[in-house]
Amino acid sequence: MTEAALALPPADTRIDLAQEFAETRIDEVFEALDRDLVGLVPVKTRIREIAALLLVERIRRRLGLGAEAPTLHMSFTGNPGTGKTTVAMRMADILHRLGYVRRGHLVSVTRDDLVGQYIGHTAPKTKEILKRAMGGVLFIDEAYYLYRPENERDYGQEAIEILLQVMENQREDLVVIVAGYGDRMEKFFSSNPGFRSRIAHHVEFPDFAEEELITIGEGMLARQNYRFSPEALAAFRDYVARRIRLPHFANGRSIRNALDRARLRQANRLVREMPPELTVEDFVTLAEADIRASRVFSAEPPEVEAKL
């Protein structure tokens, strides 16, 4: 019998898994995720699966059954506006509650935050970001822009090499999540096999369905003390059905932008018409005209620009 085997607890040691789960309070994070994001059932299921694995691994390590810390770096792939940053924030909270990161904060960056514009500029920029992220999660959005082989004077490769070194040598104090379009991330991994080998979990984010986008829109308005009139809601359904088929649609991000413009139209309508008396209802209700003023309703799809 080996020395390691002698150190193991008795096989009949009892573990109350329900109590272990309750003590972490990660169920609160799952509830917050359900409040934050409509739909995304496959993503939420995957996050719960990862959390379950990490909970069990934590117990195994405490019992002497785990040899080393698991690899936690992740890849989130999907179109813009599908909730990748929100899920990354919740993932940081889960990792902190389970004891895998010290602080549980999220540092969100893009290429511009990591890559310099001249020789000697990239290393200090990248190292400063890594210093800020230590003890938490570093979220790199559109990570494939780090690698630009068509530009021989590009300094992104230097940032990649520093990141890879830290991801390997300090993986017990930092979790890196890379994110972006699925096809572009695949090319990025193919060009940088060191990144692929360090990614433990790949999570795909689907686009939202039309009905989910309607629910997202209503939720956004409610949080700002607005609502649709019945006619405006019907117009918004029409808007979503048209906009989703146009170029540059960005899921929840496009819905937020559309509602910001609708609120702008509502405010201008009220000021322009200047009725003698207004009620609270007038200030909280978006009318059909506020929605149908969008160019989505007046232009053919090839002519409609991204800002609608």
Side-chain angles (χ1 to χ4, degrees):
M1 188 176 293
T2 65
E3 181 178 348
L6 288 172
L8 295 179
D12 60 352
T13 300
R14 297 288 186 263
I15 303 296
D16 188 338
L17 190 56
Q19 181 178 345
E20 296 276 351
F21 180 86
E23 288 177 353
T24 65
R25 295 173 31 240
I26 57 176
D27 57 321
E28 297 175 1
V29 184
F30 297 148
E31 291 170 1
L33 198 56
D34 286 333
R35 290 195 306 269
D36 291 343
L37 295 172
V38 172
L40 293 182
V41 173
V43 173
K44 293 173 182 177
T45 299
R46 189 80 175 93
I47 296 304
R48 285 180 168 86
E49 291 172 348
I50 294 171
L53 172 66
L54 297 181
L55 174 62
V56 169
E57 185 61 28
R58 181 174 100 150
I59 297 171
R60 284 173 51 82
R61 291 180 69 187
R62 193 175 71 229
L63 294 173
L65 301 172
E68 59 182 27
T71 301
L72 299 172
H73 306 308
M74 305 177 191
S75 170
F76 289 179
T77 56
N79 289 325
T82 49
K84 295 186 291 294
T85 304
T86 299
V87 173
M89 292 175 60
R90 296 304 178 190
M91 194 71 240
D93 196 0
I94 289 172
L95 292 170
H96 178 56
R97 294 184 187 219
L98 288 172
Y100 286 95
V101 293
R102 290 180 290 112
R103 298 168 59 192
H105 65 301
L106 180 85
V107 175
S108 180
V109 299
T110 62
R111 172 192 163 89
D112 290 344
D113 299 300
L114 298 168
V115 181
Q117 299 178 346
Y118 51 85
I119 294 175
H121 191 206
T122 295
K125 285 189 72 172
T126 301
K127 290 177 181 178
E128 177 60 29
I129 291 295
L130 288 168
K131 181 180 178 181
R132 284 171 46 200
M134 282 298 167
V137 172
L138 175 63
F139 180 78
I140 308 176
D141 198 13
E142 297 184 311
Y144 34 75
Y145 285 132
L146 290 176
Y147 181 70
R148 288 180 171 172
E150 71 280 0
N151 185 354
E152 61 182 19
R153 299 185 62 183
D154 184 72
Y155 304 110
Q157 190 60 41
E158 183 180 2
I160 290 174
E161 291 171 1
I162 295 171
L163 285 167
L164 290 175
Q165 183 178 17
V166 171
M167 288 169 70
E168 181 64 27
N169 298 337
Q170 296 179 259
R171 59 180 180 168
E172 294 192 20
D173 200 33
L174 177 70
V175 173
V176 174
I177 299 177
V178 292
Y181 289 107
D183 56 344
R184 296 186 187 180
M185 288 303 297
E186 185 59 34
K187 291 179 181 178
F188 173 74
F189 288 138
S190 297
S191 302
N192 298 275
F195 251 109
R196 186 191 297 277
S197 66
R198 287 168 174 80
I199 298 296
H201 305 285
H202 294 261
V203 184
E204 295 184 7
F205 287 66
D207 289 333
F208 292 106
E210 287 186 27
E211 195 58 39
E212 291 173 334
L213 292 168
I214 300 299
T215 303
I216 288 171
E218 290 181 303
M220 289 177 176
L221 286 183
R223 287 190 289 274
Q224 299 178 77
N225 293 312
Y226 282 89
R227 58 174 171 264
F228 293 113
S229 71
E231 297 79 12
L233 179 57
F236 186 65
R237 288 183 181 279
D238 192 5
Y239 173 91
V240 170
R242 293 165 181 255
R243 184 66 183 92
I244 201 172
R245 297 193 299 269
L246 298 176
H248 311 297
F249 182 69
N251 289 279
R253 194 176 305 166
S254 289
I255 295 301
R256 181 177 65 246
N257 291 341
L259 293 178
D260 284 345
R261 287 188 286 273
R263 290 170 49 237
L264 178 68
R265 295 184 195 112
Q266 183 233 34
N268 279 273
R269 173 174 55 81
L270 293 177
V271 172
R272 182 177 63 253
E273 295 175 357
M274 203 71 73
E277 290 187 0
L278 292 172
T279 66
V280 172
E281 189 72 16
D282 294 308
F283 285 98
V284 303
T285 305
L286 295 184
E288 180 180 9
D290 304 325
I291 305 298
R292 293 202 178 274
S294 168
R295 283 180 290 172
V296 164
F297 297 102
S298 60
E300 292 299 321
E303 300 175 358
V304 180
E305 299 177 3
K307 294 183 178 181
L308 302 169

